[in-house]
Amino acid sequence: MRDGKRFAWTGEGYPAAVKARAVHFVAPRRVELREVELPQLSEGHVLVATEWSGISSGTELLAYRGEVDPGLPLDETLGALGGTFTYPFRYGYSAVGRVVRTAGPLREGQLVFAFHPHQDRFVADAREVTPVDGLDPRAATLYPLVETALQVCHDAAARLGEVVVVVGMGAVGILAAALLARAGAVVLGTEPEPARRAAAAGVGVRAVAPDEVAGAVAAATAGRGADLVVEASGNPQALASSLGLLAHEGTALVCSWYGTRPASLPLGAAFHRRRLTIRSSQVSTLPAALTARWDRGRRAALAWRLARELPLGGLATHEFPFERAGEAYASVDAKQDGLIHATLRYR
């Protein structure tokens, strides 16, 4: 035993037969903590004791609700997410913890981030974890959402002075709006929840209720319409209503993923005559137009810099003990009490 945990040590000093507990999705809106056995620590790897992990209100919430095709791979770009969305499966991609044993370049006690499912300890390749010294560990769980928002900003390619409406002031929507404003766009958010509109205002983003957004866009553009709409609400119906906010030849950029839910769109005369465009944004890959100058490493470096500059603490609104993961997911699903970003606490 080490620190009250379930360890057995080999002659080389590496842990063997280490047991851990992990969140398992076992049915729609049902999760369980189950024991898993970790691989023996090998050269170049580290054993991490998780302190915090973040729950995504995008893909992860769809997985919790059972609104993802069960045959779809969990994530082909992340080594810790093998398999498909067929029950039972482990999911999650934002873990922050301390290195407790190392066979690689990181030191014991170092605070690190990893794209890993919710689990109280895990073994990872040292090349796939990132030191986050100097950053609040709870706020560091927002890193994947900062990276997503950065990719939204790159995909939007808004010009200086263009009017952009961001639909949905969840964590990704707020962060994307803040970055678009940094890039010189005139940004307006829209969100039905007053607490989320207040959180947006806290990072300098003006946000209005859905029934006020058309008037606000008309006032900001002298009736011309918005140059760009970023749909970040996760609600398929929001995309349909957003098309009417666009100017002639405007673009709707969809960063929401709707899973198996259909999106019905009004693609009649107004859509065609105004030559509107609908595009998707996705963080798992980089668009071909950027790959001559950008790769995942460069994007990650910038995203980590932004994570240290942006006021992330105000977005990490709720925390739950790891043992109450089921309550945490239910709260995220219900957007309970102004919830924007929920974290699981392991210590």
Side-chain angles (χ1 to χ4, degrees), residues 7 25 60 120 137 157 184 276 297 314 323:
F7 281 86
F25 293 69
E60 190 168 354
D120 62 1
L276 302 182
E323 292 75 14

Side-chain angles (χ1 to χ4, degrees), residues 153 160 176-185 187 302 305-306 309-311:
C153 192
L160 183 69
L179 294 182
L180 286 163
R182 277 192 175 204
V187 181
L302 176 55
R305 193 192 87 195
L306 292 169
E309 295 174 359
L310 294 167

Side-chain angles (χ1 to χ4, degrees), residues 310-325:
L310 294 167
L312 298 184
L315 301 183
T317 54
H318 289 59
E319 63 179 75
F320 301 83
F322 175 57
E323 292 75 14
R324 288 163 50 193

Side-chain angles (χ1 to χ4, degrees), residues 202-222:
V203 298
V205 175
R206 179 192 172 204
V208 299
D211 60 358
E212 300 174 333
V213 68
V217 170
T221 64

Side-chain angles (χ1 to χ4, degrees), residues 28-119:
R29 289 184 165 87
R30 186 176 149 211
V31 299
E32 295 178 357
L33 295 186
R34 294 183 176 180
E35 194 170 78
V36 296
E37 186 170 307
L38 300 185
Q40 183 174 331
L41 194 65
S42 59
E43 189 64 34
H45 287 66
V46 292
L47 175 66
V48 177
T50 313
E51 293 188 358
W52 299 89
S53 62
I55 296 176
S56 158
S57 58
T59 303
E60 190 168 354
L61 186 56
L62 293 178
Y64 171 71
R65 292 170 173 166
E67 294 176 342
V68 181
D69 180 349
L72 192 70
L74 295 177
D75 194 317
E76 295 165 310
T77 67
L78 299 178
L81 289 178
T84 69
F85 285 97
T86 300
Y87 296 114
F89 59 87
R90 285 179 284 171
Y91 197 69
Y93 48 80
S94 181
V96 176
R98 301 272 175 190
V99 174
V100 295
R101 201 70 179 174
T102 179
L106 299 174
R107 69 179 187 275
E108 291 189 11
Q110 191 160 18
L111 187 69
V112 295
F113 169 90
F115 289 102
H116 199 281
H118 306 284
Q119 194 164 301

